[in-house]
Every structure is written in structure tokens, then in C-alpha cells.
Amino acid sequence: MKKSYFLPIACFGCLFLGAFIGQKLENQPITTNVIRHAQSLLGLEFTEAEADSMIFDVTDNRRNFEEIRKISINNEVAPAIAFNPLPIGFTFDKTPSKFIPSTNPSVKLPVNKSDLAFMSVRELAELIRTKQISSLELTQFFLERLKTYDKQLACVITLTEDLAIQQAQKADSEIAKGKYKGLLHGIPYGAKDLLAKKGYKTTWGSVPFKDQVLDYDATVITRLEEAGAVLCAKLTLGELAWGDVWFGGTTKNPWNLKRGSSGSSAGSASSVSAGLLPFAIGSETLGSIVSPSSECGTTGLRPSFGRVPRTGAMALSWSMDKLGPICRTVEDCAIVFNAIKGTDGKDLSTIDASFSFNGNRKDLKGIRIAYLKKDFDRNYPTKSQDSLSLATLRKLGAELIPLELPNYPVGDMTIILSAEAATAFDELTRNGKDDAMVRQIKNAWPNSFRASRFIPAVEYLQANRLRTKLIQDMETKLKDIDVYISPAFGNANLTLTNLSGHPCVVLPNGFRSEGRPTSITFMGKLFGEGKLLEVAKIYQDATDFHKKHPDWLKK
């Protein structure tokens, strides 16, 4: 049906597509000439007789589209087609989940309170547990930093100050009564503003939605509240989850205020990097946790597809969207992930799988670690930093196994994302409100949404069939591997694994000559976050890059 949808509108290329799609089409007759003109867009060729035979069906299909369009479908409604990243023969780890954080650190309240800004969740949790500081004091400290530094960074959309004070007071009351919930109890955080919080705007960073208020809480927000965490801010995202430009400006990289923080989890990475919050929730469809974490020098976890429920989160691509934490340390990512993972009975893509993590693991014994040798051997901008990372892993006892990823045209396969994103914002294109979005260049959503109307359903499904083969081949490649290491950028890994649904941790591994952080990627097996996080933590504990911060923010 999709092929015939594109046929009738293809010959009207002289019109502005965004406006044309919103018009009624019944009065535009479909002729063999229309079909013959349209066929070139599909890379197909029909005879005159074949084109003539199609006229009735194509016209009828167009009428079907018009009838369906009369019914408004909100963004949160998922299609009745669920993506499953599990390869044939995949078996889950049957070990019961067991989360073991690192041994209680010996932490003293710093004499200089500004040092709190760059302490980890694990350290701050110990200060709260031992009652050296209250949640209210800590929350007020971070709220003040958000107010002070957001002027330069543009990383906050909505400061949830009243809510944060209320939640912090509640945490202190519970802790005083001996009802300590765990490592997130009383810890301030921020959420990318594609996650709904009842009573507050959820803007998706976009002009057409900047006054939107949703009457429910995202599951991730609810779970963090249940863990006792304190929501201080709704953070910026590139408009509709692309880049770092939103309706209020460009979110900045704390290491270089002349640069954007990258995106689309722009505010999440910027705020954590700047010490405005201990952790934040981001999302990734095609690099939106990895890219800003790399730019800003934070540690980010992109979980396996299906690990964290997306209920209450803006949908961009139902088969590729993933939610995950952006933190200072790998262990902080594990702590937050442990609180937000698991099924919720609403997001039908979620899978209940075991998660075991031991924060006290000190060696790599028994863990099979590979690396993308050909990618590391080539010349690229961060080769020296990555080479030192591989050397560090070898010193830690890793026997790195050369690995090559399956060879697929993964860039071409991102028509899956394009088609799903255009569907998620179908009405925005048809009603012309996409014209109000900030970025109107070729490489931005408004143009992408319009162009994606010309992706036939046949080709979308063919790309997904190829994706099935990719998933199967990845399973074969990783059969005897627990974790593998990849450069963060410049190769196929980021796109390939976003399509296959594999988890990754990206963390800082050095600095460029001008002072900006560099990063490296640790990849895990599907639902293998436990070993992935353990290996990444062991590496991070042997380095100090995550402990470096921009000098101008150490006040």
C-alpha cells in the first residue's frame, strides 16, 4: 500500500511538499501519466498497461489514507507491530538478579561545599546515609548551581524547584525514621524533557510543543521517585530529539562554551558534566546518549533495547528508542539502571531479564573481551587516546580478541528510523506546524519528515528483514564474547548496534590538544549489562579522566 501512496503525489514536486501533504487529495485525478512520472522515485518501471491497471487501486488507497487521517493519533500510541531484538536460539541468563554496589566508601563532607558538585552518586549516597548532609541541603546546593550556570549553558527547560524541595523534605523525613530506601534516596537528578512529569511542561524541546502539559508521569520518573530520587529539572534536548538546538537556543559544552553539547540528550550531558546535577536521564535512538557524553566527558549507559520501559517518553522510533542514565561514573550508571529497568505492563517492547552487577569486582578474569582491531588500526583523530585505553586494558589482564562486525549497509538501513519518525510526527507535517521548528535546513527533522513520506512500506519492511539477518549474525559473532571495545565514532559500530539493540557504555578516555574530552565505547551482549558495566568500571577505576572537570566550574 505504501508504494501506491507515493505514486499520486510524486509528480507534484514543484509544490512545497510540507503544505501539499496537508491538503485533500481527492480532487487530484490519478492517471497513467501520474504513475509513470512517480515510478522513478521508486526505482521501478511500469508499462502503460500496468500503470493503467493500477489506477483504481491507487485511487482507492488514497481514499483509505484520507479516512485514516480523520482520526487523530497521539504520539504515545505505538503501532501494532513490536520490534524484538532477540535472535533465534537466544537464551537468557537464568541467574537471579543480584545488585552489589561497591563497598561503602569512606567519605567525609568536604570543607569546601563546592566540591559536592563533582562527587559521584555513590559518594553522595554515603554522605546522606551517614547523615553528614541532608537531601534538602544537597538539593538546594544543586538547585543553586542550576540557576547560576544555566545562564551560560542553556541546559534547563524547566526548573522543578518546588517539587524538588518537597521530594527532598520527604526523603529526609523517611531517612530520619529509619526508612532508607537505598543509594538514590535523596539524590537530586534531572530528566531529558521528553519524559512526562504530571503538572509540568513536557516540551520535547520543540516550538510546536513548548506549552504541552501531559497528565501523567513517565514510568522512569515514577521508578526514580519510588527509589527516593529528587527531580530538580527538566533538561534540554535538541528539538524532537535531534542535535543540541532547542526552542530556547543551543545547549553548550561546559568544556568549550563556543561549542554545542551535541545531542540529543544535550542538557543531560551538559548539566552532569558541569556539576549541576549528579545524574540525569537521557535517551538514544541513533547516538543521543553516546554523542553528548563523548562531547561533554560524561559516562553514559545505553541499555539493550527493551530493558527500560519508555512509557511516558516521546516516541521517535518505536523500534530503536532507548532510555538510559548519564552520570559521572560507570557505577553510578549501574545504580540508576538498576532502579529504572524492567517491564511495566504498558511498554510491550520491554523484556524481563536478569541483571547482576558486582561493584567490588577487581579483575577481568574469566571475561572474554574483544576489540574491533581494524577500526583501531586505522588513522583517526582520537587514535592515540584509544591506543592507550587498549594498553590499559591489557595491563589489567585483558586478552583482547580481534573481532570484525558483520558487514551490512547499516547507514542505508536507517530508513527504518526515518520512516518511523515521520510516522510519529505525521500530523505535524500534515498540519504545517513543522514550519515553526527552529532548524529548517536540509539536515533537520522538518525536511526529513517530508522526504520520508516517499519511503515505500515495501522498502521499510525489507530493511527490517535485513535487520533480522543482522541481529542473527551479531549473535553468531558474539557467541564466545562477553564484551568488546570500539572507537566511539568513525566506524559502523554506533549505527549497527542501535539497529541490533545491543547495550553500550561510553566513558572518557583522554583529552584533545585543545582540552576537550575524548571517549571510548564498551559494548555488551544483548541484556549483558552486568558484565559490560563491571568491565567498564574496572577500566574507569584504573584511570582518572572522569575526575577532571572544567576549571571555571569548580567554584
Side-chain angles (χ1 to χ4, degrees):
M1 288 181 65
K2 197 76 161 198
K3 180 175 75 173
S4 54
Y5 168 70
F6 297 121
L7 297 177
I9 65 175
C11 69
F12 299 103
C14 59
L15 298 177
F16 290 100
L17 183 58
F20 176 74
I21 289 174
Q23 295 177 0
K24 297 292 183 182
L25 301 179
E26 299 96 14
N27 296 327
Q28 299 287 346
I30 295 173
T31 65
T32 56
N33 193 44
V34 170
I35 292 173
R36 297 292 296 278
H37 277 83
Q39 66 188 5
S40 62
L41 288 174
L42 309 178
L44 297 172
E45 187 173 347
F46 304 114
T47 67
E48 187 72 20
E50 289 171 334
D52 183 68
S53 296
M54 279 190 265
I55 290 175
F56 176 82
D57 285 345
V58 171
T59 303
D60 194 46
N61 287 343
R62 186 174 65 181
R63 184 191 58 77
N64 295 340
F65 305 152
E66 288 295 322
E67 289 302 311
I68 291 170
R69 288 175 182 174
K70 291 177 182 177
I71 302 172
S72 180
I73 305 174
N74 293 332
N75 177 267
E76 67 262 23
V77 179
I81 302 173
F83 169 66
N84 185 334
L86 302 183
I88 296 170
F90 182 86
T91 56
F92 286 98
D93 180 3
K94 303 297 184 183
T95 307
S97 297
K98 189 173 185 181
F99 183 80
I100 304 174
S102 60
T103 303
N104 291 339
S106 178
V107 184
K108 297 295 182 183
L109 186 68
V111 175
N112 184 350
K113 287 289 184 71
S114 64
D115 292 341
L116 289 167
F118 297 104
M119 294 180 73
S120 67
V121 169
R122 186 70 187 89
E123 292 167 330
L124 293 173
E126 187 63 8
L127 291 179
I128 288 178
R129 187 188 71 84
T130 55
K131 300 180 181 177
Q132 296 181 61
I133 194 170
S134 69
S135 174
L136 182 59
E137 290 175 296
L138 195 61
T139 297
Q140 290 172 328
F141 170 80
F142 281 110
L143 285 170
E144 190 58 36
R145 284 186 67 86
L146 285 162
K147 293 176 187 177
T148 299
Y149 293 110
D150 182 55
K151 298 169 187 175
Q152 294 101 320
L153 297 172
C155 61
V156 176
I157 293 182
T158 303
L159 196 70
T160 56
E161 184 169 11
D162 292 343
L163 175 65
I165 296 299
Q166 175 189 337
Q167 290 181 338
Q169 290 173 335
K170 179 182 178 183
D172 286 335
S173 175
E174 290 169 338
I175 292 168
K177 295 175 182 177
K179 299 177 181 179
Y180 182 62
K181 294 180 177 179
L183 298 176
L184 292 179
H185 203 172
I187 301 294
Y189 78 100
K192 185 174 181 176
D193 199 31
L194 52 59
L195 291 165
K197 175 58 193 171
K198 189 175 182 178
Y200 289 88
K201 291 181 181 180
T202 302
T203 70
W204 302 343
S206 183
V207 176
F209 302 98
K210 64 186 180 68
D211 296 317
Q212 173 178 253
V213 178
L214 301 174
D215 192 33
Y216 49 81
D217 290 344
T219 295
V220 165
I221 298 292
T222 299
R223 288 183 175 175
L224 289 171
E225 287 182 355
E226 290 170 349
V230 175
L231 179 62
C232 292
K234 302 289 291 298
L235 302 169
T236 61
L237 66 156
E239 200 167 14
L240 301 185
W242 185 336
D244 47 28
V245 177
W246 57 291
F247 64 81
T250 302
T251 302
K252 301 298 191 298
N253 177 357
W255 291 92
N256 183 344
L257 294 177
K258 294 180 180 179
R259 293 179 62 90
S261 67
S262 188
S264 66
S265 302
S268 298
S270 179
S271 61
V272 172
S273 174
L276 312 190
L277 289 165
F279 78 92
I281 300 299
S283 71
E284 174 151 327
T285 306
L286 194 62
S288 292
I289 288 174
V290 171
S291 186
S293 289
S294 297
E295 178 72 24
C296 298
T298 54
T299 301
L301 168 65
R302 183 192 79 208
S304 300
F305 180 89
R307 266 294 200 178
V308 178
R310 301 163 302 176
T311 308
M314 183 198 89
L316 184 65
S317 171
W318 294 278
S319 73
M320 293 180 69
D321 293 344
K322 298 157 288 277
L323 300 175
I326 293 177
C327 306
R328 307 202 194 297
T329 71
V330 172
E331 182 171 24
D332 287 357
C333 286
I335 291 167
V336 177
F337 172 69
N338 190 52
I340 64 175
K341 66 175 178 61
T343 60
D344 70 346
K346 298 175 182 177
D347 180 352
L348 300 182
S349 70
T350 51
I351 296 173
D352 190 16
S354 173
F355 170 63
S356 293
F357 171 81
N358 185 353
N360 297 308
R361 184 165 193 154
K362 301 298 183 185
D363 63 71
L364 301 173
K365 185 178 180 181
I367 300 180
R368 300 158 297 181
I369 304 175
Y371 74 119
L372 302 182
K373 185 178 186 303
K374 285 187 177 181
D375 290 324
F376 283 112
D377 284 348
R378 63 186 172 81
N379 290 319
Y380 59 102
T382 59
K383 181 180 176 67
S384 59
Q385 292 89 344
D386 288 357
S387 296
L388 290 173
S389 293
L390 296 179
T392 298
L393 284 164
R394 289 187 174 104
K395 287 180 183 177
L396 291 169
E399 196 172 313
L400 299 179
I401 305 163
L403 175 70
E404 287 187 37
L405 296 177
N407 185 18
Y408 280 78
V410 292
D412 300 311
M413 293 165 67
T414 59
I415 63 168
I416 294 169
L417 164 58
S418 299
E420 292 183 11
T423 304
F425 292 99
D426 166 58
E427 288 193 23
L428 188 69
T429 301
R430 289 192 290 109
N431 63 24
K433 291 183 179 179
D434 55 346
D435 291 341
M437 293 177 66
V438 178
R439 295 173 70 242
Q440 293 290 334
I441 59 176
K442 288 183 179 180
N443 194 33
W445 279 135
N447 186 59
S448 176
F449 291 159
R450 296 164 195 156
S452 296
R453 312 290 297 209
F454 292 90
I455 299 172
V458 171
E459 309 303 342
Y460 168 77
L461 291 171
Q462 285 293 81
N464 271 296
R465 294 177 72 202
L466 195 58
R467 190 178 186 183
T468 298
K469 289 173 62 64
L470 166 63
I471 289 168
Q472 203 65 44
D473 285 351
M474 274 294 284
E475 177 69 4
T476 300
K477 285 281 186 180
L478 301 184
K479 181 181 178 182
D480 299 316
I481 299 296
D482 294 311
V483 173
Y484 73 87
I485 318 298
S486 169
F489 296 104
N491 61 349
N493 182 71
L494 181 66
T495 301
L496 188 153
T497 56
N498 267 297
L499 284 165
S500 65
H502 286 76
C504 82
V505 173
V506 61
L507 64 161
N509 72 333
F511 293 88
R512 295 173 174 83
S513 58
E514 72 273 22
R516 284 190 299 119
T518 61
S519 65
I520 194 162
T521 296
F522 286 69
M523 297 296 314
K525 296 171 79 78
L526 280 173
F527 301 94
E529 283 86 353
K531 284 186 179 177
L532 168 63
L533 288 160
E534 287 176 358
V535 170
K537 180 181 182 297
I538 290 169
Y539 167 80
Q540 189 170 68
D541 288 348
T543 69
D544 65 353
F545 305 115
H546 60 295
K547 296 180 180 179
K548 308 288 186 183
H549 311 290
D551 289 336
W552 71 281
L553 288 160
K554 298 178 182 178
K555 299 176 183 179

